[in-house]
Short mmCIF file of all heavy atoms in Angstrom, two decimals:
data_model
loop_
_atom_site.label_atom_id
_atom_site.label_comp_id
_atom_site.label_asym_id
_atom_site.label_seq_id
_atom_site.Cartn_x
_atom_site.Cartn_y
_atom_site.Cartn_z
N MET A 1 3.52 15.72 2.00
CA MET A 1 3.89 14.30 1.83
C MET A 1 3.55 13.86 0.45
O MET A 1 2.56 14.03 -0.25
CB MET A 1 2.97 13.45 2.77
CG MET A 1 3.23 12.05 2.70
SD MET A 1 2.13 10.93 3.64
CE MET A 1 1.89 11.77 5.19
N LYS A 2 4.65 13.13 -0.07
CA LYS A 2 4.47 12.60 -1.42
C LYS A 2 4.24 11.08 -1.29
O LYS A 2 5.11 10.38 -0.71
CB LYS A 2 5.74 12.80 -2.33
CG LYS A 2 5.77 14.19 -2.77
CD LYS A 2 7.00 14.31 -3.68
CE LYS A 2 7.10 15.70 -4.20
NZ LYS A 2 8.17 15.80 -5.21
N LEU A 3 3.13 10.47 -1.69
CA LEU A 3 2.85 9.13 -1.57
C LEU A 3 3.16 8.52 -3.02
O LEU A 3 3.19 9.09 -4.00
CB LEU A 3 1.42 8.84 -1.30
CG LEU A 3 0.96 9.38 0.07
CD1 LEU A 3 -0.51 9.20 0.19
CD2 LEU A 3 1.71 8.70 1.17
N ARG A 4 3.54 7.22 -2.87
CA ARG A 4 3.86 6.52 -4.15
C ARG A 4 3.15 5.08 -4.06
O ARG A 4 3.08 4.41 -2.99
CB ARG A 4 5.31 6.27 -4.34
CG ARG A 4 5.98 5.33 -3.41
CD ARG A 4 7.34 5.06 -3.73
NE ARG A 4 8.06 4.21 -2.72
CZ ARG A 4 7.92 3.02 -2.61
NH1 ARG A 4 7.31 2.25 -3.58
NH2 ARG A 4 8.56 2.38 -1.61
N LEU A 5 2.62 4.73 -5.17
CA LEU A 5 2.10 3.36 -5.39
C LEU A 5 3.17 2.38 -5.90
O LEU A 5 3.81 2.69 -6.96
CB LEU A 5 0.82 3.32 -6.36
CG LEU A 5 0.35 1.96 -6.76
CD1 LEU A 5 -0.20 1.24 -5.50
CD2 LEU A 5 -0.74 2.31 -7.80
N HIS A 6 3.43 1.34 -5.12
CA HIS A 6 4.38 0.37 -5.62
C HIS A 6 3.73 -0.97 -5.87
O HIS A 6 3.02 -1.50 -5.00
CB HIS A 6 5.47 0.22 -4.52
CG HIS A 6 6.53 -0.75 -4.74
ND1 HIS A 6 6.76 -1.89 -4.03
CD2 HIS A 6 7.38 -0.99 -5.74
CE1 HIS A 6 7.70 -2.64 -4.49
NE2 HIS A 6 8.17 -2.10 -5.63
N VAL A 7 3.87 -1.45 -7.13
CA VAL A 7 3.35 -2.76 -7.43
C VAL A 7 4.36 -3.66 -7.88
O VAL A 7 5.24 -3.25 -8.74
CB VAL A 7 2.21 -2.52 -8.61
CG1 VAL A 7 1.63 -3.92 -9.02
CG2 VAL A 7 1.11 -1.59 -8.18
N HIS A 8 4.34 -4.83 -7.45
CA HIS A 8 5.36 -5.88 -7.83
C HIS A 8 4.80 -7.27 -7.90
O HIS A 8 3.85 -7.51 -7.22
CB HIS A 8 6.69 -5.74 -6.95
CG HIS A 8 6.34 -6.07 -5.51
ND1 HIS A 8 6.57 -7.33 -5.00
CD2 HIS A 8 6.01 -5.29 -4.53
CE1 HIS A 8 6.20 -7.34 -3.74
NE2 HIS A 8 5.78 -6.08 -3.41
N ARG A 9 5.49 -8.16 -8.61
CA ARG A 9 4.97 -9.57 -8.76
C ARG A 9 5.44 -10.28 -7.46
O ARG A 9 6.57 -10.03 -6.96
CB ARG A 9 5.82 -10.14 -9.94
CG ARG A 9 5.29 -11.43 -10.39
CD ARG A 9 4.27 -11.14 -11.53
NE ARG A 9 4.16 -12.34 -12.28
CZ ARG A 9 2.90 -12.86 -12.60
NH1 ARG A 9 1.88 -12.16 -12.17
NH2 ARG A 9 2.74 -13.93 -13.16
N THR A 10 4.56 -11.22 -7.03
CA THR A 10 4.87 -12.02 -5.88
C THR A 10 5.44 -13.47 -6.36
O THR A 10 5.35 -13.68 -7.44
CB THR A 10 3.57 -12.25 -4.96
OG1 THR A 10 2.65 -12.96 -5.79
CG2 THR A 10 3.01 -10.88 -4.59
N PHE A 11 6.00 -14.12 -5.37
CA PHE A 11 6.55 -15.33 -5.71
C PHE A 11 5.47 -16.37 -5.98
O PHE A 11 5.65 -17.33 -6.72
CB PHE A 11 7.37 -15.94 -4.49
CG PHE A 11 8.57 -15.18 -4.27
CD1 PHE A 11 8.80 -14.44 -3.11
CD2 PHE A 11 9.69 -15.20 -5.15
CE1 PHE A 11 9.95 -13.71 -2.88
CE2 PHE A 11 10.82 -14.44 -4.96
CZ PHE A 11 10.92 -13.69 -3.84
N THR A 12 4.24 -16.16 -5.53
CA THR A 12 3.15 -17.03 -5.83
C THR A 12 2.44 -16.85 -7.20
O THR A 12 1.49 -17.53 -7.53
CB THR A 12 2.14 -17.06 -4.72
OG1 THR A 12 1.60 -15.71 -4.57
CG2 THR A 12 2.69 -17.40 -3.34
N GLY A 13 2.91 -15.79 -7.83
CA GLY A 13 2.32 -15.50 -9.29
C GLY A 13 1.32 -14.40 -9.28
O GLY A 13 1.05 -14.02 -10.45
N GLY A 14 0.90 -13.83 -8.13
CA GLY A 14 0.07 -12.70 -8.14
C GLY A 14 0.74 -11.37 -8.13
O GLY A 14 2.00 -11.36 -8.48
N TRP A 15 0.09 -10.36 -7.73
CA TRP A 15 0.64 -9.02 -7.64
C TRP A 15 0.48 -8.39 -6.29
O TRP A 15 -0.58 -8.59 -5.72
CB TRP A 15 0.07 -8.14 -8.79
CG TRP A 15 0.37 -8.55 -10.18
CD1 TRP A 15 -0.32 -9.50 -10.91
CD2 TRP A 15 1.53 -8.16 -10.86
NE1 TRP A 15 0.32 -9.65 -12.04
CE2 TRP A 15 1.47 -8.88 -12.11
CE3 TRP A 15 2.68 -7.30 -10.70
CZ2 TRP A 15 2.40 -8.81 -13.10
CZ3 TRP A 15 3.61 -7.09 -11.75
CH2 TRP A 15 3.37 -7.78 -12.86
N CYS A 16 1.32 -7.67 -5.77
CA CYS A 16 1.29 -7.06 -4.47
C CYS A 16 1.23 -5.54 -4.70
O CYS A 16 2.04 -5.06 -5.62
CB CYS A 16 2.48 -7.38 -3.55
SG CYS A 16 2.49 -6.50 -2.04
N ALA A 17 0.48 -4.88 -4.07
CA ALA A 17 0.43 -3.42 -4.31
C ALA A 17 0.43 -2.69 -2.90
O ALA A 17 -0.20 -3.17 -2.00
CB ALA A 17 -0.93 -2.93 -5.00
N ASP A 18 1.40 -1.62 -2.75
CA ASP A 18 1.26 -1.00 -1.47
C ASP A 18 1.57 0.53 -1.74
O ASP A 18 2.04 0.98 -2.78
CB ASP A 18 2.44 -1.53 -0.55
CG ASP A 18 3.87 -1.21 -1.03
OD1 ASP A 18 4.30 -0.11 -1.04
OD2 ASP A 18 4.53 -2.32 -1.33
N ILE A 19 1.17 1.32 -0.74
CA ILE A 19 1.29 2.82 -0.80
C ILE A 19 2.18 3.26 0.32
O ILE A 19 1.87 2.86 1.50
CB ILE A 19 -0.04 3.51 -0.80
CG1 ILE A 19 -0.92 3.21 -2.06
CG2 ILE A 19 0.05 4.98 -0.70
CD1 ILE A 19 -2.34 3.66 -2.07
N ASP A 20 3.11 4.05 0.03
CA ASP A 20 4.05 4.44 1.09
C ASP A 20 4.54 5.86 0.79
O ASP A 20 4.36 6.34 -0.31
CB ASP A 20 5.22 3.52 1.18
CG ASP A 20 5.90 3.57 2.57
OD1 ASP A 20 5.44 4.39 3.41
OD2 ASP A 20 6.70 2.60 2.86
N ASP A 21 5.22 6.49 1.78
CA ASP A 21 5.79 7.82 1.59
C ASP A 21 6.92 7.66 0.70
O ASP A 21 7.87 6.79 0.73
CB ASP A 21 6.28 8.29 2.96
CG ASP A 21 6.82 9.65 2.95
OD1 ASP A 21 6.96 10.26 1.84
OD2 ASP A 21 7.12 10.19 4.04
N ASP A 22 7.05 8.53 -0.29
CA ASP A 22 8.05 8.52 -1.29
C ASP A 22 9.53 8.57 -0.68
O ASP A 22 10.46 8.07 -1.21
CB ASP A 22 7.92 9.59 -2.31
CG ASP A 22 8.73 9.42 -3.53
OD1 ASP A 22 8.90 8.25 -3.91
OD2 ASP A 22 9.18 10.44 -4.12
N HIS A 23 9.64 9.21 0.47
CA HIS A 23 10.98 9.37 1.08
C HIS A 23 11.23 8.39 2.23
O HIS A 23 12.18 8.36 2.93
CB HIS A 23 11.15 10.76 1.64
CG HIS A 23 10.91 11.85 0.57
ND1 HIS A 23 11.93 12.09 -0.32
CD2 HIS A 23 9.96 12.75 0.37
CE1 HIS A 23 11.54 13.00 -1.15
NE2 HIS A 23 10.39 13.46 -0.78
N ASP A 24 10.36 7.37 2.34
CA ASP A 24 10.54 6.39 3.35
C ASP A 24 11.59 5.36 2.91
O ASP A 24 11.38 4.62 1.96
CB ASP A 24 9.22 5.65 3.73
CG ASP A 24 9.35 4.70 4.96
OD1 ASP A 24 10.27 4.69 5.54
OD2 ASP A 24 8.23 4.13 5.19
N ARG A 25 12.74 5.22 3.66
CA ARG A 25 13.72 4.33 3.31
C ARG A 25 13.46 2.95 3.81
O ARG A 25 14.09 1.90 3.42
CB ARG A 25 15.10 4.89 3.91
CG ARG A 25 15.51 6.18 3.25
CD ARG A 25 16.04 5.93 1.84
NE ARG A 25 16.51 7.17 1.33
CZ ARG A 25 16.51 7.39 0.06
NH1 ARG A 25 16.04 6.55 -0.76
NH2 ARG A 25 16.96 8.53 -0.36
N GLN A 26 12.53 2.77 4.72
CA GLN A 26 12.22 1.45 5.16
C GLN A 26 10.79 1.17 4.96
O GLN A 26 9.80 1.47 5.68
CB GLN A 26 12.57 1.26 6.70
CG GLN A 26 13.96 1.58 7.02
CD GLN A 26 14.49 0.78 8.16
OE1 GLN A 26 13.66 0.09 8.78
NE2 GLN A 26 15.62 0.76 8.30
N PRO A 27 10.43 0.49 3.77
CA PRO A 27 8.99 0.37 3.34
C PRO A 27 8.37 -0.86 4.07
O PRO A 27 7.51 -1.57 3.52
CB PRO A 27 9.10 0.05 1.83
CG PRO A 27 10.48 -0.49 1.79
CD PRO A 27 11.36 0.12 2.76
N ASP A 28 8.75 -1.08 5.43
CA ASP A 28 8.04 -2.28 6.07
C ASP A 28 6.75 -1.83 6.77
O ASP A 28 6.15 -2.75 7.34
CB ASP A 28 9.10 -2.82 6.98
CG ASP A 28 9.53 -1.72 8.05
OD1 ASP A 28 9.29 -0.56 7.74
OD2 ASP A 28 10.11 -2.11 9.08
N ASP A 29 6.41 -0.59 6.73
CA ASP A 29 5.11 -0.23 7.32
C ASP A 29 4.38 0.67 6.50
O ASP A 29 4.31 1.98 6.74
CB ASP A 29 5.42 0.40 8.72
CG ASP A 29 4.15 0.57 9.57
OD1 ASP A 29 3.03 0.02 9.23
OD2 ASP A 29 4.25 1.37 10.52
N PRO A 30 3.73 0.27 5.34
CA PRO A 30 3.03 1.14 4.44
C PRO A 30 1.78 1.72 4.95
O PRO A 30 1.30 1.29 6.03
CB PRO A 30 2.86 0.28 3.18
CG PRO A 30 2.72 -1.11 3.82
CD PRO A 30 3.66 -1.11 4.97
N TYR A 31 1.20 2.63 4.17
CA TYR A 31 -0.19 3.21 4.51
C TYR A 31 -1.31 2.26 4.09
O TYR A 31 -2.35 2.29 4.63
CB TYR A 31 -0.30 4.58 3.95
CG TYR A 31 0.59 5.54 4.54
CD1 TYR A 31 1.67 6.07 3.75
CD2 TYR A 31 0.36 6.04 5.68
CE1 TYR A 31 2.54 6.99 4.32
CE2 TYR A 31 1.25 7.02 6.31
CZ TYR A 31 2.25 7.46 5.56
OH TYR A 31 3.21 8.40 6.14
N TRP A 32 -0.99 1.53 3.03
CA TRP A 32 -1.97 0.62 2.52
C TRP A 32 -1.19 -0.62 1.76
O TRP A 32 -0.19 -0.35 1.16
CB TRP A 32 -2.86 1.32 1.50
CG TRP A 32 -3.94 0.49 0.77
CD1 TRP A 32 -5.14 0.14 1.33
CD2 TRP A 32 -3.75 -0.09 -0.54
NE1 TRP A 32 -5.79 -0.58 0.33
CE2 TRP A 32 -4.98 -0.74 -0.80
CE3 TRP A 32 -2.72 -0.11 -1.49
CZ2 TRP A 32 -5.24 -1.46 -1.88
CZ3 TRP A 32 -3.04 -0.73 -2.71
CH2 TRP A 32 -4.22 -1.40 -2.89
N CYS A 33 -1.72 -1.75 1.92
CA CYS A 33 -1.01 -2.99 1.23
C CYS A 33 -2.02 -4.02 1.04
O CYS A 33 -2.82 -4.34 1.91
CB CYS A 33 0.12 -3.42 2.06
SG CYS A 33 1.07 -4.84 1.29
N VAL A 34 -2.10 -4.61 -0.17
CA VAL A 34 -2.78 -5.84 -0.42
C VAL A 34 -1.81 -6.77 -1.08
O VAL A 34 -1.19 -6.47 -2.17
CB VAL A 34 -4.02 -5.60 -1.27
CG1 VAL A 34 -4.71 -6.92 -1.61
CG2 VAL A 34 -5.06 -4.66 -0.53
N ASP A 35 -1.70 -7.93 -0.59
CA ASP A 35 -0.60 -8.92 -1.05
C ASP A 35 -0.92 -9.65 -2.29
O ASP A 35 -0.05 -10.02 -3.14
CB ASP A 35 -0.23 -9.95 -0.11
CG ASP A 35 0.32 -9.43 1.14
OD1 ASP A 35 0.51 -8.22 1.19
OD2 ASP A 35 0.68 -10.22 2.02
N GLN A 36 -2.14 -9.86 -2.59
CA GLN A 36 -2.53 -10.89 -3.63
C GLN A 36 -3.55 -10.46 -4.62
O GLN A 36 -4.79 -10.60 -4.37
CB GLN A 36 -2.90 -12.26 -2.99
CG GLN A 36 -2.94 -13.41 -3.88
CD GLN A 36 -1.65 -13.72 -4.56
OE1 GLN A 36 -0.55 -13.39 -4.00
NE2 GLN A 36 -1.62 -14.56 -5.55
N TRP A 37 -3.12 -9.73 -5.60
CA TRP A 37 -4.10 -9.43 -6.80
C TRP A 37 -3.74 -10.28 -7.93
O TRP A 37 -2.60 -10.64 -8.29
CB TRP A 37 -3.89 -7.93 -7.31
CG TRP A 37 -4.18 -6.97 -6.17
CD1 TRP A 37 -3.39 -6.22 -5.42
CD2 TRP A 37 -5.46 -6.48 -5.80
NE1 TRP A 37 -4.06 -5.52 -4.59
CE2 TRP A 37 -5.37 -5.58 -4.85
CE3 TRP A 37 -6.80 -6.82 -6.27
CZ2 TRP A 37 -6.45 -4.97 -4.20
CZ3 TRP A 37 -7.89 -6.18 -5.70
CH2 TRP A 37 -7.70 -5.20 -4.63
N PRO A 38 -4.81 -10.95 -8.56
CA PRO A 38 -4.57 -11.92 -9.53
C PRO A 38 -3.97 -11.17 -10.93
O PRO A 38 -3.19 -11.97 -11.56
CB PRO A 38 -5.99 -12.44 -9.92
CG PRO A 38 -6.97 -11.59 -9.23
CD PRO A 38 -6.23 -10.71 -8.19
N THR A 39 -4.24 -9.94 -11.17
CA THR A 39 -3.74 -9.34 -12.39
C THR A 39 -3.02 -8.02 -12.04
O THR A 39 -3.50 -7.35 -10.93
CB THR A 39 -4.90 -9.06 -13.41
OG1 THR A 39 -5.75 -8.17 -12.88
CG2 THR A 39 -5.63 -10.37 -13.70
N LEU A 40 -2.16 -7.65 -12.90
CA LEU A 40 -1.46 -6.30 -12.74
C LEU A 40 -2.59 -5.14 -12.89
O LEU A 40 -2.52 -4.18 -11.99
CB LEU A 40 -0.44 -6.11 -13.81
CG LEU A 40 0.28 -4.80 -13.87
CD1 LEU A 40 0.92 -4.45 -12.51
CD2 LEU A 40 1.26 -4.63 -15.02
N TYR A 41 -3.55 -5.28 -13.75
CA TYR A 41 -4.58 -4.29 -13.87
C TYR A 41 -5.38 -4.15 -12.58
O TYR A 41 -5.57 -3.00 -12.14
CB TYR A 41 -5.48 -4.80 -15.07
CG TYR A 41 -6.56 -3.67 -15.23
CD1 TYR A 41 -6.50 -2.62 -15.97
CD2 TYR A 41 -7.88 -4.07 -14.65
CE1 TYR A 41 -7.54 -1.63 -16.08
CE2 TYR A 41 -8.97 -3.16 -14.87
CZ TYR A 41 -8.78 -2.00 -15.55
OH TYR A 41 -9.86 -1.17 -15.73
N GLU A 42 -5.78 -5.13 -11.90
CA GLU A 42 -6.48 -5.06 -10.61
C GLU A 42 -5.70 -4.38 -9.60
O GLU A 42 -6.17 -3.65 -8.81
CB GLU A 42 -6.97 -6.50 -10.23
CG GLU A 42 -8.10 -6.94 -11.07
CD GLU A 42 -8.44 -8.44 -10.78
OE1 GLU A 42 -7.53 -9.27 -10.70
OE2 GLU A 42 -9.63 -8.62 -10.47
N ALA A 43 -4.38 -4.81 -9.51
CA ALA A 43 -3.54 -4.10 -8.49
C ALA A 43 -3.44 -2.65 -8.78
O ALA A 43 -3.49 -1.90 -7.77
CB ALA A 43 -2.12 -4.73 -8.52
N LEU A 44 -3.21 -2.27 -10.00
CA LEU A 44 -3.10 -0.77 -10.25
C LEU A 44 -4.40 -0.05 -10.03
O LEU A 44 -4.35 1.01 -9.49
CB LEU A 44 -2.57 -0.61 -11.72
CG LEU A 44 -1.18 -1.00 -12.05
CD1 LEU A 44 -0.87 -1.03 -13.50
CD2 LEU A 44 -0.19 0.06 -11.27
N THR A 45 -5.46 -0.63 -10.43
CA THR A 45 -6.75 0.03 -10.25
C THR A 45 -7.08 0.16 -8.82
O THR A 45 -7.51 1.24 -8.40
CB THR A 45 -7.86 -0.82 -10.95
OG1 THR A 45 -7.51 -1.00 -12.39
CG2 THR A 45 -9.24 -0.14 -10.84
N ALA A 46 -6.84 -0.85 -7.94
CA ALA A 46 -7.20 -0.70 -6.57
C ALA A 46 -6.16 0.29 -5.88
O ALA A 46 -6.52 1.07 -5.13
CB ALA A 46 -7.01 -2.06 -5.89
N GLY A 47 -4.96 0.28 -6.32
CA GLY A 47 -3.99 1.21 -5.68
C GLY A 47 -4.29 2.66 -6.01
O GLY A 47 -4.24 3.43 -5.26
N CYS A 48 -4.64 2.94 -7.31
CA CYS A 48 -5.03 4.18 -7.73
C CYS A 48 -6.21 4.71 -7.05
O CYS A 48 -6.40 5.91 -6.61
CB CYS A 48 -5.20 4.35 -9.18
SG CYS A 48 -3.65 4.17 -10.17
N ALA A 49 -7.22 3.88 -6.81
CA ALA A 49 -8.51 4.20 -6.08
C ALA A 49 -8.16 4.56 -4.62
O ALA A 49 -8.68 5.52 -4.07
CB ALA A 49 -9.49 3.12 -6.20
N GLN A 50 -7.18 3.74 -4.00
CA GLN A 50 -6.90 4.07 -2.62
C GLN A 50 -6.09 5.47 -2.63
O GLN A 50 -6.31 6.25 -1.63
CB GLN A 50 -6.05 2.97 -2.07
CG GLN A 50 -5.72 3.02 -0.67
CD GLN A 50 -7.01 3.06 0.19
OE1 GLN A 50 -7.95 2.26 0.01
NE2 GLN A 50 -7.16 4.00 1.13
N LEU A 51 -5.17 5.69 -3.58
CA LEU A 51 -4.49 6.95 -3.61
C LEU A 51 -5.46 8.22 -3.72
O LEU A 51 -5.32 9.16 -3.11
CB LEU A 51 -3.58 7.02 -4.78
CG LEU A 51 -2.22 6.43 -4.54
CD1 LEU A 51 -1.39 6.43 -5.90
CD2 LEU A 51 -1.36 7.24 -3.52
N ALA A 52 -6.50 7.90 -4.50
CA ALA A 52 -7.54 9.02 -4.59
C ALA A 52 -8.22 9.17 -3.24
O ALA A 52 -8.58 10.36 -2.98
CB ALA A 52 -8.55 8.58 -5.67
N LYS A 53 -8.53 8.13 -2.53
CA LYS A 53 -9.14 8.30 -1.25
C LYS A 53 -8.25 9.21 -0.23
O LYS A 53 -8.76 9.93 0.67
CB LYS A 53 -9.46 6.94 -0.58
CG LYS A 53 -10.62 6.32 -1.22
CD LYS A 53 -10.84 4.98 -0.51
CE LYS A 53 -11.95 4.18 -1.25
NZ LYS A 53 -12.11 2.84 -0.69
N PHE A 54 -6.92 8.84 -0.29
CA PHE A 54 -5.96 9.63 0.48
C PHE A 54 -5.90 11.14 0.22
O PHE A 54 -5.36 11.86 1.01
CB PHE A 54 -4.61 9.04 0.47
CG PHE A 54 -4.49 7.66 1.13
CD1 PHE A 54 -3.53 6.81 0.79
CD2 PHE A 54 -5.24 7.44 2.19
CE1 PHE A 54 -3.29 5.61 1.40
CE2 PHE A 54 -5.12 6.14 2.81
CZ PHE A 54 -4.17 5.20 2.45
N THR A 55 -6.48 11.65 -0.86
CA THR A 55 -6.50 13.03 -1.08
C THR A 55 -7.57 13.72 -0.31
O THR A 55 -7.38 15.00 -0.07
CB THR A 55 -6.85 13.37 -2.60
OG1 THR A 55 -8.14 12.90 -2.86
CG2 THR A 55 -5.71 12.78 -3.55
N THR A 56 -8.56 13.05 0.32
CA THR A 56 -9.53 13.61 1.24
C THR A 56 -9.28 13.19 2.67
O THR A 56 -9.84 13.89 3.53
CB THR A 56 -10.90 13.18 0.78
OG1 THR A 56 -11.00 11.84 0.85
CG2 THR A 56 -11.18 13.75 -0.71
N THR A 57 -8.47 12.15 3.01
CA THR A 57 -8.21 11.75 4.35
C THR A 57 -6.77 11.65 4.57
O THR A 57 -6.05 11.25 3.62
CB THR A 57 -8.88 10.42 4.70
OG1 THR A 57 -8.37 9.46 3.80
CG2 THR A 57 -10.37 10.46 4.48
N ARG A 58 -6.26 11.96 5.74
CA ARG A 58 -4.83 11.76 6.05
C ARG A 58 -4.55 10.32 6.33
O ARG A 58 -5.22 9.69 7.12
CB ARG A 58 -4.43 12.58 7.32
CG ARG A 58 -2.95 12.49 7.59
CD ARG A 58 -2.65 13.61 8.53
NE ARG A 58 -1.21 13.47 8.93
CZ ARG A 58 -0.18 13.73 8.17
NH1 ARG A 58 -0.26 14.17 6.96
NH2 ARG A 58 1.12 13.59 8.63
N PRO A 59 -3.62 9.69 5.52
CA PRO A 59 -3.35 8.32 5.68
C PRO A 59 -2.64 8.00 7.05
O PRO A 59 -1.89 8.85 7.55
CB PRO A 59 -2.49 7.87 4.52
CG PRO A 59 -1.80 9.17 4.13
CD PRO A 59 -2.85 10.36 4.49
N THR A 60 -2.83 6.82 7.57
CA THR A 60 -2.08 6.36 8.74
C THR A 60 -1.44 5.07 8.40
O THR A 60 -1.84 4.29 7.54
CB THR A 60 -3.03 6.10 9.98
OG1 THR A 60 -4.01 5.17 9.64
CG2 THR A 60 -3.63 7.40 10.46
N ARG A 61 -0.35 4.75 9.04
CA ARG A 61 0.45 3.55 8.73
C ARG A 61 -0.35 2.32 9.18
O ARG A 61 -1.27 2.43 10.11
CB ARG A 61 1.76 3.59 9.48
CG ARG A 61 2.57 4.81 9.08
CD ARG A 61 3.93 4.21 8.46
NE ARG A 61 4.71 5.38 8.01
CZ ARG A 61 5.18 5.33 6.76
NH1 ARG A 61 4.93 4.47 5.99
NH2 ARG A 61 5.98 6.34 6.39
N LEU A 62 -0.14 1.19 8.52
CA LEU A 62 -0.96 -0.01 8.85
C LEU A 62 -0.64 -0.46 10.34
O LEU A 62 -1.64 -0.86 10.96
CB LEU A 62 -0.47 -1.17 8.01
CG LEU A 62 -0.90 -1.13 6.48
CD1 LEU A 62 -0.42 -2.27 5.71
CD2 LEU A 62 -2.34 -0.99 6.43
N SER A 63 0.44 -0.24 10.86
CA SER A 63 0.81 -0.50 12.30
C SER A 63 -0.09 0.14 13.20
O SER A 63 -0.22 -0.10 14.36
CB SER A 63 2.25 -0.39 12.58
OG SER A 63 2.64 0.95 12.41
N GLN A 64 -0.50 1.42 12.79
CA GLN A 64 -1.26 2.33 13.63
C GLN A 64 -2.74 2.11 13.44
O GLN A 64 -3.53 2.56 14.28
CB GLN A 64 -0.95 3.83 13.36
CG GLN A 64 0.45 4.13 13.71
CD GLN A 64 0.96 5.42 13.18
OE1 GLN A 64 0.23 6.00 12.34
NE2 GLN A 64 1.96 6.02 13.70
N GLN A 65 -3.21 1.43 12.46
CA GLN A 65 -4.59 1.21 12.19
C GLN A 65 -5.20 0.06 12.94
O GLN A 65 -6.31 0.07 13.38
CB GLN A 65 -4.77 0.90 10.69
CG GLN A 65 -4.54 2.00 9.80
CD GLN A 65 -4.58 1.66 8.22
OE1 GLN A 65 -5.26 0.72 7.99
NE2 GLN A 65 -3.99 2.52 7.49
N TYR A 66 -4.30 -0.97 13.23
CA TYR A 66 -4.89 -2.06 13.99
C TYR A 66 -4.06 -2.25 15.25
O TYR A 66 -2.93 -2.46 15.28
CB TYR A 66 -4.66 -3.37 13.10
CG TYR A 66 -5.29 -3.21 11.63
CD1 TYR A 66 -4.53 -2.99 10.61
CD2 TYR A 66 -6.63 -3.22 11.57
CE1 TYR A 66 -5.05 -2.84 9.35
CE2 TYR A 66 -7.25 -3.07 10.35
CZ TYR A 66 -6.44 -2.95 9.27
OH TYR A 66 -7.00 -2.75 7.91
N THR A 67 -4.81 -2.38 16.34
CA THR A 67 -4.23 -2.66 17.60
C THR A 67 -4.82 -3.89 18.18
O THR A 67 -6.07 -4.07 18.18
CB THR A 67 -4.55 -1.49 18.65
OG1 THR A 67 -5.94 -1.20 18.79
CG2 THR A 67 -3.80 -0.19 18.17
N PRO A 68 -3.99 -4.86 18.48
CA PRO A 68 -4.37 -6.18 18.92
C PRO A 68 -5.11 -6.00 20.37
O PRO A 68 -4.71 -5.19 21.18
CB PRO A 68 -3.16 -6.97 19.12
CG PRO A 68 -2.02 -6.05 19.08
CD PRO A 68 -2.56 -4.79 18.44
N THR A 69 -6.15 -6.74 20.55
CA THR A 69 -6.83 -6.71 21.80
C THR A 69 -6.48 -7.94 22.64
O THR A 69 -6.24 -8.98 22.08
CB THR A 69 -8.35 -6.66 21.57
OG1 THR A 69 -8.74 -7.84 20.83
CG2 THR A 69 -8.75 -5.41 20.86
N ALA A 70 -6.47 -7.68 24.00
CA ALA A 70 -6.14 -8.87 24.79
C ALA A 70 -7.35 -9.79 24.82
O ALA A 70 -8.49 -9.50 24.88
CB ALA A 70 -5.88 -8.35 26.24
N ALA A 71 -7.08 -11.12 24.98
CA ALA A 71 -8.03 -12.16 25.05
C ALA A 71 -8.49 -12.44 26.37
O ALA A 71 -7.95 -12.09 27.33
CB ALA A 71 -7.55 -13.42 24.30
#
């Protein structure tokens, strides 16, 4: 699996960083995502650190990490 870090500017002025499979045509369910980093540097630093963690653990999609519980 080839993972990629995608960082882009948000409409609110911050930065969004996500990690997804390089061949995924529908990036709506990444392995990791944080919507609001104040600086590009912080977004890149956090994304690279998370990529490094994925070298020792198999990533799971965000939709598979959190399961809602019944109230």
